[in-house]
Amino acid sequence: MTTTAVLITGTSSGIGRATALRLAARPELTVYATARRPGTLADLAGAGARTLALDVTDEESMTAAVRAVEAEHGSVGVLVNNAGYGEYGTVEETDLDAVRRQFDTNLFGLARMTQLVLPGMRAAGHGRVVNVGSMGGRMVFPAGGYYHASKYAVEAVTDALRFEAAPFGIQVSLIEPGLIRTEFGGTAARTLAGSAAPTGPYAGLNDAADRQMAQSYRSRLLSAPPEAVAKVIERAATGARPKTRYVVTPAAKLLVHSRRLLGARVFDAYLRQQFRATA
């Protein structure tokens, strides 16, 4: 039986892992689950996925992974650009080397993986690219400007790619999750804590941001498990008419539309209430 090759980045945990597990259960798909350390993917291999080493900040690693899939299938049928993380801190205090590393993963890795699979997709006359962005590509919270900037950039690249790739039979979708209960929240909190001195000028704001993140990720009303995103990625990867955008979680949909309708001044007033420093 001929199967469609699905290449997913960043599957060692969270959304990527849940997506690999879900898609590996479909007999018409051959799922390639990837991570910098493939030894972390044993459970995915047991579930039927094939595993590859892939670091989206390393050219040789990316090229080798794509070549391995193309050697067996001719082309990558679906690329899921999932790898990413949050580097948090204020604009003034965050180390720019850390910001560059974040963009290397969140944007440039995504872009390079896309460049590598497109020639094969064009030759095949079909393919799909599913980019995992964030509701943070549509709105901004304080102490997260650089993370949001990387996701705004993913929005722009995805919009351009969708138009450019369409004549070749390649469909492009953007997934915009809200708060998802993964390791992302913990990583964001650690980078926020390490971005500035505890008694610095933004100490109150950083404390408030840390408190808001902790409360929001604990909330079952505001957050969702990674399986909720995996289900949506499955629709984008396999549906007959995939949407251009999928906002995931009811809370994310409410926030995105509220930001659009309220405008900057009113939304800033809302943020001042939410991120008010405590004595």
Side-chain angles (χ1 to χ4, degrees), residues 1-4 23-30:
M1 179 180 67
T2 301
T3 61
T4 298
L23 296 185
R26 297 181 65 116
E28 77 275 19
L29 303 178
T30 300

Side-chain angles (χ1 to χ4, degrees), residues 13 98 113 187 212-213:
S13 64
M113 286 297 300
T187 300
Q212 279 294 318
M213 278 195 291

Side-chain angles (χ1 to χ4, degrees), residues 32-47:
Y32 289 83
T34 72
R36 287 178 295 175
R37 298 181 298 278
T40 63
L41 307 177
D43 60 330
L44 299 181

Side-chain angles (χ1 to χ4, degrees), residues 126-208:
H126 58 82
R128 296 194 185 189
V129 178
V130 181
N131 289 337
V132 179
S134 170
M135 74 170 181
R138 304 272 289 274
M139 56 187 297
V140 178
F141 291 122
Y146 291 117
Y147 167 72
H148 287 277
S150 74
K151 291 303 185 178
Y152 267 71
V154 169
E155 296 261 340
V157 167
T158 304
D159 280 345
L161 176 65
R162 186 176 63 251
F163 186 89
E164 294 164 0
F168 305 103
I170 301 166
Q171 297 172 296
V172 180
S173 296
L174 179 65
I175 311 299
E176 300 172 315
L179 300 178
I180 305 300
R181 295 189 291 274
T182 67
E183 295 177 3
F184 178 93
T187 300
R190 285 194 299 275
T191 60
L192 177 62
S195 68
T199 57
Y202 302 99
L205 172 60
N206 287 336
D207 286 345

